[in-house]
Amino acid sequence: MLGEPKITSYDLRFQFFGIAIRIHPGFWAICVFLGFSMRMSTPTALFIFSVAVFLSLLIHEMGHALAFRRCGIRAHIVLYHFGGLAVPTGMESYFDHTSGYTSKQKLFVTAAGPGMQILAALLVIVALRAVGK
C-alpha cells in the first residue's frame, strides 16, 4: 500500500547526481491540497510552499539514495502523494536478511536522509548569517 506508485504518462523524470528521480502527479496534488488547507490562497504562496516541500523531500531522499550508492546498491527516488521513497534497485527486498545487506548499512541508509536535511539546514543558517540575517 505504501510502496512505489505505478508509473504514469504524467510523471516528471530527471536525474540528479546520477540518480533517477520520478515525481508522480499525486505529489503536486497533495502539495496544493496541503497549501490550501494551511490557508495559502495565492498562487505565489502555493508555489513557494510546493517548492519548499519538493526541496525538503528531495534532499531527504537524496540522502538515502546516496547512502545506498555508498553501500554498493543502486537506487532511484520517487516523490508521490505519501511523500518520497528511495527505492533500492535490484534487491529482492529491503528487509531480506539473506541479501548481504548488513545492519550497519541499514542504519547508515536510514540515518542518511535526516542527516542530509540537518546538513542542508545548517548550510542555510550559515548562508543567512553570512548575509546578515
Side-chain angles (χ1 to χ4, degrees):
M1 180 173 179
L2 294 180
E4 183 176 0
K6 292 184 180 184
I7 294 171
T8 74
S9 58
Y10 301 104
D11 290 349
L12 175 63
R13 297 169 173 269
F14 61 96
Q15 289 215 356
F16 191 65
F17 288 117
I19 295 170
I21 298 168
R22 178 169 69 95
I23 305 172
H24 188 275
F27 172 79
W28 303 114
I30 202 70
C31 282
V32 171
F33 174 77
L34 290 173
F36 274 127
S37 71
M38 295 168 55
R39 303 197 195 293
M40 294 180 193
S41 56
T42 68
T44 302
L46 280 172
F47 177 77
I48 291 169
F49 176 76
S50 296
V51 168
V53 171
F54 169 75
L55 289 174
S56 178
L57 284 171
L58 184 61
I59 289 167
H60 181 95
E61 297 306 330
M62 280 300 291
H64 293 306
L66 291 171
F68 272 126
R69 180 189 287 173
R70 179 78 173 111
C71 294
I73 301 165
R74 293 187 48 177
H76 64 275
I77 294 172
V78 180
L79 300 182
Y80 68 125
H81 51 281
F82 282 123
L85 291 170
V87 182
T89 307
M91 289 180 68
E92 274 301 310
S93 170
Y94 179 75
F95 302 103
D96 185 6
H97 297 291
T98 62
S99 68
Y101 185 50
T102 68
S103 294
K104 284 184 183 180
Q105 288 174 318
K106 288 179 184 179
L107 181 61
F108 175 65
V109 169
T110 300
M116 187 72 88
Q117 282 183 300
I118 291 168
L119 178 62
L122 290 173
L123 290 173
V124 168
I125 290 167
V126 167
L128 288 172
R129 290 203 178 200
V131 296
K133 300 283 181 184

